[in-house]
mmCIF file of all heavy atoms in Angstrom:
data_model
loop_
_atom_site.group_PDB
_atom_site.id
_atom_site.type_symbol
_atom_site.label_atom_id
_atom_site.label_comp_id
_atom_site.label_asym_id
_atom_site.label_seq_id
_atom_site.Cartn_x
_atom_site.Cartn_y
_atom_site.Cartn_z
ATOM 1 N N ASP A 277 -23.713 1.672 -9.798
ATOM 2 C CA ASP A 277 -25.026 1.801 -9.138
ATOM 3 C C ASP A 277 -24.875 1.818 -7.655
ATOM 4 O O ASP A 277 -25.875 1.445 -6.933
ATOM 5 C CB ASP A 277 -25.985 0.658 -9.628
ATOM 6 C CG ASP A 277 -26.245 0.719 -11.133
ATOM 7 O OD1 ASP A 277 -26.321 1.770 -11.613
ATOM 8 O OD2 ASP A 277 -26.287 -0.370 -11.754
ATOM 9 N N ASN A 278 -23.756 2.201 -7.122
ATOM 10 C CA ASN A 278 -23.607 2.311 -5.698
ATOM 11 C C ASN A 278 -23.931 3.747 -5.241
ATOM 12 O O ASN A 278 -23.819 4.685 -5.959
ATOM 13 C CB ASN A 278 -22.154 1.940 -5.294
ATOM 14 C CG ASN A 278 -21.727 0.575 -5.731
ATOM 15 O OD1 ASN A 278 -22.201 -0.387 -5.136
ATOM 16 N ND2 ASN A 278 -20.916 0.493 -6.768
ATOM 17 N N VAL A 279 -24.162 3.874 -3.922
ATOM 18 C CA VAL A 279 -24.273 5.115 -3.240
ATOM 19 C C VAL A 279 -23.092 5.144 -2.281
ATOM 20 O O VAL A 279 -23.042 4.380 -1.300
ATOM 21 C CB VAL A 279 -25.582 5.348 -2.536
ATOM 22 C CG1 VAL A 279 -25.579 6.704 -1.778
ATOM 23 C CG2 VAL A 279 -26.687 5.354 -3.507
ATOM 24 N N LEU A 280 -22.176 6.069 -2.506
ATOM 25 C CA LEU A 280 -20.973 6.213 -1.630
ATOM 26 C C LEU A 280 -21.113 7.523 -0.921
ATOM 27 O O LEU A 280 -21.018 8.615 -1.572
ATOM 28 C CB LEU A 280 -19.713 6.153 -2.500
ATOM 29 C CG LEU A 280 -19.587 4.955 -3.458
ATOM 30 C CD1 LEU A 280 -18.299 5.060 -4.295
ATOM 31 C CD2 LEU A 280 -19.616 3.617 -2.717
ATOM 32 N N ASP A 281 -21.349 7.478 0.368
ATOM 33 C CA ASP A 281 -21.906 8.686 1.029
ATOM 34 C C ASP A 281 -21.243 8.959 2.360
ATOM 35 O O ASP A 281 -21.149 8.025 3.204
ATOM 36 C CB ASP A 281 -23.484 8.435 1.278
ATOM 37 C CG ASP A 281 -24.206 9.598 1.763
ATOM 38 O OD1 ASP A 281 -23.593 10.708 1.859
ATOM 39 O OD2 ASP A 281 -25.317 9.431 2.090
ATOM 40 N N ALA A 282 -20.694 10.085 2.591
ATOM 41 C CA ALA A 282 -20.278 10.584 3.861
ATOM 42 C C ALA A 282 -19.169 9.687 4.504
ATOM 43 O O ALA A 282 -19.178 9.538 5.785
ATOM 44 C CB ALA A 282 -21.478 10.751 4.868
ATOM 45 N N ASN A 283 -18.307 9.156 3.749
ATOM 46 C CA ASN A 283 -17.124 8.534 4.289
ATOM 47 C C ASN A 283 -16.115 9.542 4.656
ATOM 48 O O ASN A 283 -15.935 10.542 3.967
ATOM 49 C CB ASN A 283 -16.544 7.557 3.281
ATOM 50 C CG ASN A 283 -17.578 6.411 2.949
ATOM 51 O OD1 ASN A 283 -17.841 5.550 3.742
ATOM 52 N ND2 ASN A 283 -18.179 6.455 1.753
ATOM 53 N N ASP A 284 -15.414 9.329 5.747
ATOM 54 C CA ASP A 284 -14.404 10.314 6.244
ATOM 55 C C ASP A 284 -13.346 10.540 5.200
ATOM 56 O O ASP A 284 -12.845 11.677 5.070
ATOM 57 C CB ASP A 284 -13.766 9.809 7.529
ATOM 58 C CG ASP A 284 -14.614 9.968 8.714
ATOM 59 O OD1 ASP A 284 -15.760 10.440 8.558
ATOM 60 O OD2 ASP A 284 -14.194 9.615 9.839
ATOM 61 N N GLY A 285 -12.920 9.584 4.488
ATOM 62 C CA GLY A 285 -11.908 9.661 3.386
ATOM 63 C C GLY A 285 -12.536 9.603 2.071
ATOM 64 O O GLY A 285 -13.701 9.897 1.869
ATOM 65 N N ALA A 286 -11.734 9.224 1.058
ATOM 66 C CA ALA A 286 -12.194 9.115 -0.286
ATOM 67 C C ALA A 286 -13.353 8.101 -0.387
ATOM 68 O O ALA A 286 -13.366 7.094 0.289
ATOM 69 C CB ALA A 286 -11.035 8.684 -1.203
ATOM 70 N N ALA A 287 -14.243 8.384 -1.313
ATOM 71 C CA ALA A 287 -15.292 7.365 -1.597
ATOM 72 C C ALA A 287 -14.702 6.142 -2.235
ATOM 73 O O ALA A 287 -15.028 5.031 -1.873
ATOM 74 C CB ALA A 287 -16.315 7.969 -2.586
ATOM 75 N N LEU A 288 -13.746 6.320 -3.091
ATOM 76 C CA LEU A 288 -13.135 5.227 -3.854
ATOM 77 C C LEU A 288 -11.692 5.476 -4.128
ATOM 78 O O LEU A 288 -11.306 6.570 -4.619
ATOM 79 C CB LEU A 288 -13.913 5.045 -5.177
ATOM 80 C CG LEU A 288 -13.276 4.098 -6.187
ATOM 81 C CD1 LEU A 288 -13.200 2.659 -5.664
ATOM 82 C CD2 LEU A 288 -14.033 4.107 -7.507
ATOM 83 N N ILE A 289 -10.815 4.492 -3.765
ATOM 84 C CA ILE A 289 -9.437 4.564 -4.122
ATOM 85 C C ILE A 289 -9.069 3.326 -4.970
ATOM 86 O O ILE A 289 -9.442 2.197 -4.605
ATOM 87 C CB ILE A 289 -8.523 4.586 -2.871
ATOM 88 C CG1 ILE A 289 -8.807 5.765 -2.026
ATOM 89 C CG2 ILE A 289 -7.055 4.581 -3.300
ATOM 90 C CD1 ILE A 289 -8.055 5.728 -0.654
ATOM 91 N N TYR A 290 -8.504 3.561 -6.158
ATOM 92 C CA TYR A 290 -8.068 2.478 -7.035
ATOM 93 C C TYR A 290 -6.590 2.668 -7.247
ATOM 94 O O TYR A 290 -6.117 3.561 -7.899
ATOM 95 C CB TYR A 290 -8.841 2.550 -8.378
ATOM 96 C CG TYR A 290 -8.991 1.228 -9.089
ATOM 97 C CD1 TYR A 290 -9.780 0.235 -8.574
ATOM 98 C CD2 TYR A 290 -8.352 0.991 -10.309
ATOM 99 C CE1 TYR A 290 -9.999 -1.007 -9.253
ATOM 100 C CE2 TYR A 290 -8.474 -0.217 -10.984
ATOM 101 C CZ TYR A 290 -9.265 -1.217 -10.438
ATOM 102 O OH TYR A 290 -9.410 -2.425 -11.083
ATOM 103 N N GLU A 291 -5.802 1.753 -6.607
ATOM 104 C CA GLU A 291 -4.375 1.978 -6.418
ATOM 105 C C GLU A 291 -3.546 0.793 -7.004
ATOM 106 O O GLU A 291 -3.847 -0.331 -6.690
ATOM 107 C CB GLU A 291 -4.066 2.189 -4.914
ATOM 108 C CG GLU A 291 -2.629 2.447 -4.592
ATOM 109 C CD GLU A 291 -2.447 2.537 -3.089
ATOM 110 O OE1 GLU A 291 -3.351 2.420 -2.324
ATOM 111 O OE2 GLU A 291 -1.266 2.752 -2.722
ATOM 112 N N THR A 292 -2.529 1.174 -7.747
ATOM 113 C CA THR A 292 -1.630 0.159 -8.370
ATOM 114 C C THR A 292 -2.430 -1.003 -8.938
ATOM 115 O O THR A 292 -2.140 -2.186 -8.748
ATOM 116 C CB THR A 292 -0.511 -0.333 -7.431
ATOM 117 O OG1 THR A 292 -1.106 -0.774 -6.230
ATOM 118 C CG2 THR A 292 0.430 0.859 -7.137
ATOM 119 N N SER A 293 -3.433 -0.658 -9.752
ATOM 120 C CA SER A 293 -4.363 -1.692 -10.230
ATOM 121 C C SER A 293 -4.753 -1.347 -11.679
ATOM 122 O O SER A 293 -4.330 -0.325 -12.247
ATOM 123 C CB SER A 293 -5.607 -1.739 -9.342
ATOM 124 O OG SER A 293 -5.244 -2.236 -8.038
ATOM 125 N N TYR A 294 -5.580 -2.245 -12.239
ATOM 126 C CA TYR A 294 -5.780 -2.161 -13.763
ATOM 127 C C TYR A 294 -7.263 -2.238 -14.080
ATOM 128 O O TYR A 294 -8.050 -2.840 -13.405
ATOM 129 C CB TYR A 294 -5.042 -3.339 -14.364
ATOM 130 C CG TYR A 294 -3.606 -3.423 -14.138
ATOM 131 C CD1 TYR A 294 -3.103 -4.101 -12.971
ATOM 132 C CD2 TYR A 294 -2.656 -2.829 -14.985
ATOM 133 C CE1 TYR A 294 -1.697 -4.220 -12.825
ATOM 134 C CE2 TYR A 294 -1.314 -2.918 -14.732
ATOM 135 C CZ TYR A 294 -0.820 -3.580 -13.658
ATOM 136 O OH TYR A 294 0.577 -3.693 -13.441
ATOM 137 N N ASN A 295 -7.623 -1.728 -15.242
ATOM 138 C CA ASN A 295 -8.851 -2.046 -16.038
ATOM 139 C C ASN A 295 -10.090 -2.093 -15.159
ATOM 140 O O ASN A 295 -10.338 -3.047 -14.451
ATOM 141 C CB ASN A 295 -8.638 -3.371 -16.718
ATOM 142 C CG ASN A 295 -7.463 -3.449 -17.625
ATOM 143 O OD1 ASN A 295 -7.167 -2.426 -18.280
ATOM 144 N ND2 ASN A 295 -6.836 -4.597 -17.736
ATOM 145 N N ALA A 296 -10.887 -0.997 -15.265
ATOM 146 C CA ALA A 296 -12.127 -0.925 -14.419
ATOM 147 C C ALA A 296 -13.145 -0.063 -15.132
ATOM 148 O O ALA A 296 -12.771 0.818 -15.872
ATOM 149 C CB ALA A 296 -11.804 -0.370 -13.046
ATOM 150 N N VAL A 297 -14.382 -0.357 -14.884
ATOM 151 C CA VAL A 297 -15.491 0.532 -15.215
ATOM 152 C C VAL A 297 -16.190 1.091 -13.900
ATOM 153 O O VAL A 297 -16.574 0.231 -13.146
ATOM 154 C CB VAL A 297 -16.547 -0.219 -16.097
ATOM 155 C CG1 VAL A 297 -17.772 0.686 -16.333
ATOM 156 C CG2 VAL A 297 -15.915 -0.664 -17.357
ATOM 157 N N ILE A 298 -16.246 2.379 -13.828
ATOM 158 C CA ILE A 298 -16.829 2.977 -12.624
ATOM 159 C C ILE A 298 -17.916 3.894 -13.139
ATOM 160 O O ILE A 298 -17.736 4.914 -13.734
ATOM 161 C CB ILE A 298 -15.786 3.848 -11.887
ATOM 162 C CG1 ILE A 298 -14.599 2.922 -11.466
ATOM 163 C CG2 ILE A 298 -16.376 4.555 -10.668
ATOM 164 C CD1 ILE A 298 -13.324 3.755 -11.061
ATOM 165 N N ARG A 299 -19.221 3.394 -12.990
ATOM 166 C CA ARG A 299 -20.286 4.043 -13.697
ATOM 167 C C ARG A 299 -21.557 4.099 -12.837
ATOM 168 O O ARG A 299 -21.803 3.252 -12.029
ATOM 169 C CB ARG A 299 -20.569 3.416 -15.046
ATOM 170 C CG ARG A 299 -21.093 1.989 -14.885
ATOM 171 C CD ARG A 299 -21.297 1.271 -16.202
ATOM 172 N NE ARG A 299 -21.811 -0.064 -16.088
ATOM 173 C CZ ARG A 299 -21.782 -0.960 -17.056
ATOM 174 N NH1 ARG A 299 -21.223 -0.673 -18.224
ATOM 175 N NH2 ARG A 299 -22.295 -2.198 -16.870
ATOM 176 N N ASN A 300 -22.324 5.166 -13.014
ATOM 177 C CA ASN A 300 -23.703 5.307 -12.583
ATOM 178 C C ASN A 300 -23.739 5.208 -11.061
ATOM 179 O O ASN A 300 -24.727 4.693 -10.470
ATOM 180 C CB ASN A 300 -24.612 4.255 -13.178
ATOM 181 C CG ASN A 300 -24.658 4.315 -14.661
ATOM 182 O OD1 ASN A 300 -24.395 5.384 -15.258
ATOM 183 N ND2 ASN A 300 -24.944 3.221 -15.336
ATOM 184 N N ASN A 301 -22.752 5.803 -10.394
ATOM 185 C CA ASN A 301 -22.742 5.807 -8.898
ATOM 186 C C ASN A 301 -23.084 7.244 -8.437
ATOM 187 O O ASN A 301 -22.865 8.218 -9.103
ATOM 188 C CB ASN A 301 -21.321 5.497 -8.326
ATOM 189 C CG ASN A 301 -20.834 4.113 -8.833
ATOM 190 O OD1 ASN A 301 -21.271 3.127 -8.297
ATOM 191 N ND2 ASN A 301 -19.886 4.088 -9.791
ATOM 192 N N THR A 302 -23.724 7.250 -7.237
ATOM 193 C CA THR A 302 -23.973 8.548 -6.576
ATOM 194 C C THR A 302 -22.909 8.653 -5.501
ATOM 195 O O THR A 302 -22.785 7.781 -4.601
ATOM 196 C CB THR A 302 -25.368 8.559 -5.926
ATOM 197 O OG1 THR A 302 -26.337 8.540 -7.001
ATOM 198 C CG2 THR A 302 -25.562 9.829 -5.118
ATOM 199 N N ILE A 303 -22.142 9.734 -5.520
ATOM 200 C CA ILE A 303 -21.017 9.952 -4.725
ATOM 201 C C ILE A 303 -21.122 11.327 -4.048
ATOM 202 O O ILE A 303 -20.996 12.369 -4.680
ATOM 203 C CB ILE A 303 -19.668 9.790 -5.481
ATOM 204 C CG1 ILE A 303 -19.557 8.458 -6.157
ATOM 205 C CG2 ILE A 303 -18.487 10.039 -4.582
ATOM 206 C CD1 ILE A 303 -18.435 8.325 -7.169
ATOM 207 N N ARG A 304 -21.382 11.385 -2.715
ATOM 208 C CA ARG A 304 -21.730 12.659 -2.117
ATOM 209 C C ARG A 304 -21.169 12.755 -0.725
ATOM 210 O O ARG A 304 -21.027 11.736 -0.016
ATOM 211 C CB ARG A 304 -23.239 12.807 -2.101
ATOM 212 C CG ARG A 304 -24.013 11.783 -1.296
ATOM 213 C CD ARG A 304 -25.521 11.858 -1.615
ATOM 214 N NE ARG A 304 -26.208 10.761 -0.879
ATOM 215 C CZ ARG A 304 -27.445 10.327 -1.134
ATOM 216 N NH1 ARG A 304 -28.053 10.762 -2.230
ATOM 217 N NH2 ARG A 304 -27.995 9.415 -0.380
ATOM 218 N N ARG A 305 -20.716 13.910 -0.351
ATOM 219 C CA ARG A 305 -20.273 14.303 0.974
ATOM 220 C C ARG A 305 -19.121 13.421 1.521
ATOM 221 O O ARG A 305 -18.999 13.220 2.779
ATOM 222 C CB ARG A 305 -21.508 14.185 2.001
ATOM 223 C CG ARG A 305 -22.677 15.053 1.551
ATOM 224 C CD ARG A 305 -23.813 15.019 2.643
ATOM 225 N NE ARG A 305 -24.229 13.593 2.713
ATOM 226 C CZ ARG A 305 -25.037 13.170 3.744
ATOM 227 N NH1 ARG A 305 -25.406 13.962 4.721
ATOM 228 N NH2 ARG A 305 -25.430 11.882 3.758
ATOM 229 N N ASN A 306 -18.298 12.993 0.668
ATOM 230 C CA ASN A 306 -17.145 12.181 1.068
ATOM 231 C C ASN A 306 -15.888 13.070 1.292
ATOM 232 O O ASN A 306 -15.827 14.157 0.773
ATOM 233 C CB ASN A 306 -16.838 11.124 -0.007
ATOM 234 C CG ASN A 306 -17.962 10.145 -0.152
ATOM 235 O OD1 ASN A 306 -18.075 9.242 0.658
ATOM 236 N ND2 ASN A 306 -18.774 10.283 -1.140
ATOM 237 N N ASN A 307 -14.988 12.572 2.063
ATOM 238 C CA ASN A 307 -13.612 13.139 2.195
ATOM 239 C C ASN A 307 -13.666 14.442 2.979
ATOM 240 O O ASN A 307 -12.673 15.238 2.960
ATOM 241 C CB ASN A 307 -13.001 13.335 0.815
ATOM 242 C CG ASN A 307 -11.478 13.413 0.941
ATOM 243 O OD1 ASN A 307 -10.824 12.806 1.828
ATOM 244 N ND2 ASN A 307 -10.913 14.124 0.031
ATOM 245 N N TRP A 308 -14.713 14.771 3.708
ATOM 246 C CA TRP A 308 -14.774 16.032 4.441
ATOM 247 C C TRP A 308 -13.769 15.944 5.626
ATOM 248 O O TRP A 308 -13.161 17.035 5.912
ATOM 249 C CB TRP A 308 -16.187 16.289 5.037
ATOM 250 C CG TRP A 308 -17.190 16.641 4.011
ATOM 251 C CD1 TRP A 308 -17.150 16.621 2.641
ATOM 252 C CD2 TRP A 308 -18.443 17.196 4.246
ATOM 253 N NE1 TRP A 308 -18.286 17.005 2.088
ATOM 254 C CE2 TRP A 308 -19.149 17.426 3.037
ATOM 255 C CE3 TRP A 308 -19.190 17.516 5.470
ATOM 256 C CZ2 TRP A 308 -20.425 17.936 2.988
ATOM 257 C CZ3 TRP A 308 -20.463 18.032 5.365
ATOM 258 C CH2 TRP A 308 -21.070 18.240 4.154
ATOM 259 N N VAL A 309 -13.575 14.855 6.259
ATOM 260 C CA VAL A 309 -12.665 14.797 7.334
ATOM 261 C C VAL A 309 -11.220 14.751 6.924
ATOM 262 O O VAL A 309 -10.403 15.556 7.308
ATOM 263 C CB VAL A 309 -13.031 13.584 8.255
ATOM 264 C CG1 VAL A 309 -11.984 13.388 9.350
ATOM 265 C CG2 VAL A 309 -14.419 13.672 8.845
ATOM 266 N N ASP A 310 -10.855 13.782 6.111
ATOM 267 C CA ASP A 310 -9.447 13.578 5.704
ATOM 268 C C ASP A 310 -8.997 14.698 4.819
ATOM 269 O O ASP A 310 -7.866 15.208 4.971
ATOM 270 C CB ASP A 310 -9.237 12.279 4.949
ATOM 271 C CG ASP A 310 -9.435 11.081 5.961
ATOM 272 O OD1 ASP A 310 -9.610 11.276 7.126
ATOM 273 O OD2 ASP A 310 -9.295 9.918 5.478
ATOM 274 N N GLY A 311 -9.787 15.171 3.882
ATOM 275 C CA GLY A 311 -9.432 16.301 3.018
ATOM 276 C C GLY A 311 -9.205 17.531 3.758
ATOM 277 O O GLY A 311 -8.180 18.294 3.517
ATOM 278 N N ARG A 312 -10.120 17.832 4.678
ATOM 279 C CA ARG A 312 -9.937 19.014 5.447
ATOM 280 C C ARG A 312 -8.741 19.031 6.362
ATOM 281 O O ARG A 312 -8.011 19.991 6.493
ATOM 282 C CB ARG A 312 -11.207 19.316 6.285
ATOM 283 C CG ARG A 312 -11.286 20.721 6.879
ATOM 284 C CD ARG A 312 -12.505 20.831 7.890
ATOM 285 N NE ARG A 312 -13.710 20.244 7.215
ATOM 286 C CZ ARG A 312 -14.560 20.876 6.375
ATOM 287 N NH1 ARG A 312 -14.195 22.091 6.013
ATOM 288 N NH2 ARG A 312 -15.592 20.268 5.930
ATOM 289 N N ARG A 313 -8.444 17.807 6.938
ATOM 290 C CA ARG A 313 -7.263 17.686 7.763
ATOM 291 C C ARG A 313 -6.036 17.991 7.030
ATOM 292 O O ARG A 313 -5.130 18.746 7.501
ATOM 293 C CB ARG A 313 -7.212 16.285 8.349
ATOM 294 C CG ARG A 313 -6.065 16.039 9.279
ATOM 295 C CD ARG A 313 -5.941 14.548 9.658
ATOM 296 N NE ARG A 313 -7.111 14.097 10.405
ATOM 297 C CZ ARG A 313 -7.868 13.151 10.089
ATOM 298 N NH1 ARG A 313 -7.584 12.425 8.955
ATOM 299 N NH2 ARG A 313 -8.926 12.796 10.815
ATOM 300 N N GLN A 314 -5.872 17.473 5.805
ATOM 301 C CA GLN A 314 -4.680 17.825 5.072
ATOM 302 C C GLN A 314 -4.566 19.283 4.643
ATOM 303 O O GLN A 314 -3.497 19.873 4.666
ATOM 304 C CB GLN A 314 -4.634 16.864 3.779
ATOM 305 C CG GLN A 314 -4.596 15.420 4.104
ATOM 306 C CD GLN A 314 -3.390 14.938 4.900
ATOM 307 O OE1 GLN A 314 -2.344 15.668 4.824
ATOM 308 N NE2 GLN A 314 -3.449 13.848 5.580
ATOM 309 N N ALA A 315 -5.710 19.879 4.260
ATOM 310 C CA ALA A 315 -5.722 21.225 3.900
ATOM 311 C C ALA A 315 -5.273 22.076 5.062
ATOM 312 O O ALA A 315 -4.539 23.082 4.945
ATOM 313 C CB ALA A 315 -7.061 21.661 3.349
ATOM 314 N N ASP A 316 -5.781 21.783 6.287
ATOM 315 C CA ASP A 316 -5.471 22.585 7.477
ATOM 316 C C ASP A 316 -4.004 22.494 7.852
ATOM 317 O O ASP A 316 -3.454 23.368 8.472
ATOM 318 C CB ASP A 316 -6.313 22.087 8.669
ATOM 319 C CG ASP A 316 -7.761 22.450 8.521
ATOM 320 O OD1 ASP A 316 -8.073 23.311 7.619
ATOM 321 O OD2 ASP A 316 -8.612 21.912 9.261
ATOM 322 N N ARG A 317 -3.310 21.354 7.373
ATOM 323 C CA ARG A 317 -1.898 21.242 7.648
ATOM 324 C C ARG A 317 -1.076 21.974 6.560
ATOM 325 O O ARG A 317 0.172 21.909 6.605
ATOM 326 C CB ARG A 317 -1.517 19.780 7.545
ATOM 327 C CG ARG A 317 -2.089 18.956 8.714
ATOM 328 C CD ARG A 317 -1.842 17.467 8.528
ATOM 329 N NE ARG A 317 -2.294 16.686 9.631
ATOM 330 C CZ ARG A 317 -2.397 15.370 9.668
ATOM 331 N NH1 ARG A 317 -2.023 14.680 8.634
ATOM 332 N NH2 ARG A 317 -2.815 14.727 10.768
ATOM 333 N N GLY A 318 -1.779 22.573 5.578
ATOM 334 C CA GLY A 318 -1.082 23.378 4.568
ATOM 335 C C GLY A 318 -0.611 22.560 3.379
ATOM 336 O O GLY A 318 0.166 23.091 2.496
ATOM 337 N N ASP A 319 -1.006 21.338 3.266
ATOM 338 C CA ASP A 319 -0.667 20.456 2.122
ATOM 339 C C ASP A 319 -1.379 20.949 0.868
ATOM 340 O O ASP A 319 -2.652 21.051 0.923
ATOM 341 C CB ASP A 319 -0.967 19.028 2.453
ATOM 342 C CG ASP A 319 -0.294 18.032 1.518
ATOM 343 O OD1 ASP A 319 -0.024 18.380 0.396
ATOM 344 O OD2 ASP A 319 -0.047 16.854 1.972
ATOM 345 N N ASN A 320 -0.704 21.129 -0.202
ATOM 346 C CA ASN A 320 -1.401 21.531 -1.419
ATOM 347 C C ASN A 320 -1.687 20.455 -2.420
ATOM 348 O O ASN A 320 -2.124 20.707 -3.549
ATOM 349 C CB ASN A 320 -0.538 22.705 -2.109
ATOM 350 C CG ASN A 320 0.785 22.111 -2.741
ATOM 351 O OD1 ASN A 320 1.237 21.100 -2.341
ATOM 352 N ND2 ASN A 320 1.314 22.853 -3.724
ATOM 353 N N PHE A 321 -1.497 19.169 -2.034
ATOM 354 C CA PHE A 321 -1.886 18.103 -2.898
ATOM 355 C C PHE A 321 -3.428 18.081 -3.049
ATOM 356 O O PHE A 321 -4.120 18.256 -2.011
ATOM 357 C CB PHE A 321 -1.367 16.781 -2.302
ATOM 358 C CG PHE A 321 -1.582 15.608 -3.196
ATOM 359 C CD1 PHE A 321 -0.710 15.360 -4.297
ATOM 360 C CD2 PHE A 321 -2.688 14.773 -3.066
ATOM 361 C CE1 PHE A 321 -0.899 14.246 -5.099
ATOM 362 C CE2 PHE A 321 -2.908 13.717 -3.903
ATOM 363 C CZ PHE A 321 -2.027 13.472 -4.920
ATOM 364 N N PRO A 322 -3.911 17.741 -4.213
ATOM 365 C CA PRO A 322 -5.358 17.785 -4.431
ATOM 366 C C PRO A 322 -5.977 16.448 -3.980
ATOM 367 O O PRO A 322 -6.167 15.485 -4.722
ATOM 368 C CB PRO A 322 -5.492 17.878 -5.910
ATOM 369 C CG PRO A 322 -4.252 17.350 -6.462
ATOM 370 C CD PRO A 322 -3.151 17.652 -5.480
ATOM 371 N N TYR A 323 -6.286 16.357 -2.619
ATOM 372 C CA TYR A 323 -6.826 15.158 -2.057
ATOM 373 C C TYR A 323 -8.295 14.981 -2.509
ATOM 374 O O TYR A 323 -9.102 15.772 -2.227
ATOM 375 C CB TYR A 323 -6.757 15.255 -0.513
ATOM 376 C CG TYR A 323 -5.384 15.245 -0.004
ATOM 377 C CD1 TYR A 323 -4.671 16.387 0.286
ATOM 378 C CD2 TYR A 323 -4.629 14.025 0.132
ATOM 379 C CE1 TYR A 323 -3.349 16.384 0.738
ATOM 380 C CE2 TYR A 323 -3.329 13.987 0.557
ATOM 381 C CZ TYR A 323 -2.710 15.152 0.870
ATOM 382 O OH TYR A 323 -1.377 15.144 1.265
ATOM 383 N N PRO A 324 -8.554 13.907 -3.232
ATOM 384 C CA PRO A 324 -9.784 13.799 -3.936
ATOM 385 C C PRO A 324 -10.813 12.844 -3.268
ATOM 386 O O PRO A 324 -10.485 12.145 -2.304
ATOM 387 C CB PRO A 324 -9.379 13.188 -5.268
ATOM 388 C CG PRO A 324 -8.341 12.179 -4.871
ATOM 389 C CD PRO A 324 -7.632 12.844 -3.673
ATOM 390 N N THR A 325 -11.966 12.768 -3.914
ATOM 391 C CA THR A 325 -12.994 11.837 -3.486
ATOM 392 C C THR A 325 -12.895 10.497 -4.325
ATOM 393 O O THR A 325 -13.233 9.497 -3.794
ATOM 394 C CB THR A 325 -14.371 12.436 -3.629
ATOM 395 O OG1 THR A 325 -14.497 13.382 -2.533
ATOM 396 C CG2 THR A 325 -15.476 11.486 -3.586
ATOM 397 N N VAL A 326 -12.513 10.605 -5.547
ATOM 398 C CA VAL A 326 -12.184 9.411 -6.374
ATOM 399 C C VAL A 326 -10.675 9.514 -6.722
ATOM 400 O O VAL A 326 -10.291 10.505 -7.425
ATOM 401 C CB VAL A 326 -13.036 9.325 -7.625
ATOM 402 C CG1 VAL A 326 -12.645 8.157 -8.499
ATOM 403 C CG2 VAL A 326 -14.524 9.219 -7.208
#
Side-chain angles (χ1 to χ4, degrees):
D277 300 322
N278 302 285
V279 177
L280 310 178
D281 188 7
N283 297 288
D284 284 1
L288 170 63
I289 302 173
Y290 206 69
E291 181 181 0
T292 54
S293 294
Y294 303 89
N295 300 324
V297 174
I298 302 165
R299 66 185 180 194
N300 302 337
N301 301 285
T302 295
I303 303 172
R304 61 193 179 200
R305 301 182 302 167
N306 296 281
N307 201 31
W308 287 14
V309 174
D310 290 359
R312 193 184 316 277
R313 181 186 297 124
Q314 299 298 336
D316 289 346
R317 292 172 177 170
D319 195 331
N320 69 340
F321 186 83
Y323 293 96
T325 284
V326 175

